Amino acid sequence: MTPFARKVYKIVLSIPIGQVRSYKWIASKAGRPAAARSVGQILKQNPYPLFVPCHRVVKANGGLGGYRWGKKTKQRLLELEKEISKAILITKKGKR
DNA sequence: ATCATGACTAATG
DNA sequence: CCATTAGCCATGA
């Protein structure tokens, strides 16, 4: 585990449910604005599968980006979380 | 130090 | 959507 990798995971962990960030954005936050590609390298190692929400990291142009277990899976997780966050909003609204 | 590898980016077709 | 090209960079051998 390198210092850069640690930063990347920490940042990815901070992405809220139902939201996404680009590899470039992560790279900048980690202090290496031009290391988007390296961010991908780090994420594919994914030491904590299903704990680090690496599926919330997408391409800068809006594309899906890659995923260790297939883009299809990534897409499904994102749509699922989108629904979940929507449900959370409804809950908050009705709760008062 | 050098070299190869990619879940990137931007531009082009 | 896909493929190619060039630039970019952390990482590991």
Side-chain angles (χ1 to χ4, degrees):
Chain A
M1 184 68 102
T2 67
F4 181 70
R6 207 189 316 288
K7 283 184 185 176
V8 170
Y9 291 126
K10 184 174 180 180
I11 295 169
V12 172
L13 245 359
S14 76
I15 304 175
I17 225 180
Q19 292 190 30
V20 299
R21 297 291 186 275
S22 71
Y23 291 89
K24 197 186 205 174
W25 188 90
I26 305 288
S28 296
K29 272 291 188 181
R32 296 286 182 288
R37 210 169 178 175
S38 303
V39 171
Q41 293 275 50
I42 299 300
L43 290 184
K44 82 175 178 181
Q45 294 182 57
N46 199 356
Y48 314 110
L50 298 181
F51 182 71
V52 176
C54 49
H55 55 277
R56 303 197 189 126
V57 186
V58 299
K59 300 217 284 189
N61 58 1
L64 234 193
Y67 196 57
R68 184 140 181 223
W69 301 316
K71 293 183 180 179
K72 189 85 185 266
T73 305
K74 188 171 185 176
Q75 175 86 69
R76 263 185 41 235
L77 287 173
L78 288 177
E79 302 217 354
L80 176 62
E81 290 194 340
K82 203 167 66 179
E83 291 304 309
I84 292 177
S85 60
K86 199 187 302 177
I88 292 177
L89 284 180
I90 295 176
T91 300
K92 285 188 176 179
K93 180 193 269 185
K95 195 166 186 184
R96 185 161 335 245

